[in-house]
Amino acid sequence: MASPIVDCTPYREPLLALAAELPDVPRADLYGFLQQAKELADRLPEGLAAALDTFNAEGSEDGYLLLRGLPVDEDELPVTPTSTPAPADRRRLVMEAMLALAGRRLGLHTGYQELRSGTVYHDVYPSPGAHYLSSETSETLLEFHTEMAYHVLQPNYVMLACSRADHEHKAETLVGSVRKALALLDEETRTHLFDRPMPCCVDVAFRGGVEDPGAIANVKPLYGDPQDPYLGYDRELLAPEDPQDKEAVAALSKALDDVTVGVKLIPGDVLIIDNFRTTHARTPFSPRWDGKDRWLHRVYIRTDRNGQLSGGERAGDVVSFSPRR
């Protein structure tokens, strides 16, 4: 089985050279920034390009690809943000450039109108009093979820780039792959879960200002190819009502727990999660509120698979919410 980790240390200098060709202020013209990244992505080092192309075409048993040893801002890295969205005039960070180059090799960066003010690049950092479903939580477990499994335009990939790790290096991103979990489910459970819509609540950002609109979407836990299915799973939001559904989802949940692997992100890492074949979570960590807390950058990528694109879309587009039915 191929390793999910790509050592990018040998590529640092050519990647820094490519990053230097990108516009200095990404948010001044994000469409232009990402279009330039697409052109530069054709010049990625051969080994890195091949790993991205293979993952994009075939996925993997692990459900993720970790690019490790990428160049990163060190002495010039700003303090960890305490608010969102990022200032429009913030200069290009190296990890934002890496997300642009690797992401454009995969597909189209996409913003979600209701999430983070419709921005495409998200700073992910601890925030006091954050909602337990928010990525800004820190001292509680961020539970397993397939990102926006309830959204018709669910992203194909979640990309997380690390500029700064947590102080104690405790935080882990957990990934559970359906390709591994499927073997732990009996035939009856797999058949019951396949193509079976179940009620699903949605994250706070997509509730239209209603505190608790209930299960306004329907999500199929397994769908697509019965022998190699996609996964739709959210431990907090999937809300099966039928006793058999509950039992089957519990079996799936246990299987995903049993195959879960943890990744401790360090500066220079880009983690690419196959969002149609995995669920992911994040373990707790303790922020110090000293300007040097954990700082990730997140983007969502859509591709021409899974009905995400209809034609004419551009990297940098922002889409509105449509719940799965």
Side-chain angles (χ1 to χ4, degrees):
M1 184 185 301
S3 171
I5 302 175
V6 180
D7 178 12
C8 296
T9 307
Y11 310 139
R12 283 179 178 169
E13 291 306 316
L15 286 172
L16 278 172
L18 289 175
E21 295 187 46
L22 288 166
D24 287 338
V25 184
R27 294 162 184 82
D29 176 12
L30 190 60
Y31 279 123
F33 179 81
L34 294 174
Q35 178 56 39
Q36 179 71 6
K38 170 62 175 174
E39 296 167 11
L40 295 172
D42 291 337
R43 293 160 45 196
L44 284 172
E46 183 178 350
L48 175 55
L52 289 167
D53 291 348
T54 298
F55 186 68
N56 202 14
E58 303 171 8
S60 71
E61 288 294 307
D62 300 280
Y64 71 89
L65 187 68
L66 177 62
L67 312 182
R68 174 150 282 174
L70 294 164
V72 64
D73 295 280
E74 294 176 354
D75 296 337
E76 299 180 5
L77 185 65
V79 298
T80 298
T82 57
S83 63
T84 190
D89 61 352
R90 190 171 81 191
R91 298 182 70 83
R92 180 191 67 241
L93 299 175
V94 173
M95 294 315 292
E96 290 180 330
M98 296 302 106
L99 287 178
L101 295 168
R104 289 300 279 125
R105 189 84 188 192
L106 297 170
L108 303 181
H109 296 62
T110 300
Y112 290 82
Q113 184 175 304
E114 299 81 4
L115 184 64
R116 299 289 188 99
S117 304
T119 52
V120 172
Y121 272 90
H122 300 165
D123 291 316
V124 179
Y125 53 85
S127 180
H131 192 280
Y132 71 99
L133 294 177
S134 168
S135 60
E136 294 178 14
T137 64
S138 55
E139 298 183 84
T140 58
L141 174 70
L142 180 61
E143 274 286 14
F144 279 105
H145 58 288
T146 303
E147 200 84 12
M148 290 182 259
Y150 46 75
H151 201 307
V152 169
L153 298 179
Q154 170 189 339
N156 201 123
Y157 300 114
V158 180
M159 298 184 69
L160 298 171
C162 181
S163 277
R164 184 174 281 136
D166 61 294
H167 291 284
E168 298 170 349
H169 296 274
K170 290 172 55 179
E172 285 189 292
T173 301
L174 307 177
V175 183
S177 167
V178 71
R179 282 178 164 167
K180 290 182 174 181
L182 200 65
L184 304 183
L185 297 175
D186 60 54
E187 185 64 33
E188 182 180 354
T189 301
R190 292 199 298 267
T191 300
H192 184 86
L193 291 171
F194 189 79
D195 255 351
R196 185 173 180 83
M198 295 187 189
C200 189
C201 302
V202 302
D203 283 304
V204 174
F206 299 100
R207 295 178 183 176
V210 179
E211 184 174 344
D212 183 9
I216 61 175
N218 284 304
V219 168
K220 298 174 181 179
L222 300 177
Y223 62 102
D225 180 350
Q227 303 306 313
D228 187 19
Y230 297 129
L231 175 71
Y233 177 81
D234 193 303
R235 188 159 292 176
E236 295 282 356
L237 300 177
L238 196 61
E241 297 171 345
D242 180 86
Q244 282 187 288
D245 289 352
K246 291 181 179 180
E247 183 178 349
V249 168
L252 174 62
S253 181
K254 183 181 185 307
L256 290 165
D257 280 344
D258 288 346
V259 301
T260 290
V261 296
V263 179
K264 289 186 177 180
L265 295 176
I266 60 176
D269 281 355
V270 166
L271 178 64
I272 307 169
I273 298 171
D274 183 342
N275 194 47
F276 274 79
R277 286 199 170 93
T278 64
T279 185
H280 65 279
R282 193 224 59 243
T283 62
F285 64 97
S286 299
R288 298 182 185 174
W289 319 115
D290 60 355
K292 296 188 180 299
D293 280 320
R294 188 175 191 251
W295 184 9
L296 306 184
H297 313 274
R298 179 179 65 195
V299 295
Y300 298 124
I301 304 293
R302 287 188 297 154
T303 74
D304 58 3
R305 299 190 303 280
N306 312 112
Q308 298 149 295
L309 303 179
S310 56
E313 292 90 347
R314 293 192 293 171
D317 280 348
V318 178
V319 299
S320 58
F321 179 47
S322 294
R324 291 189 185 274
R325 299 296 189 190

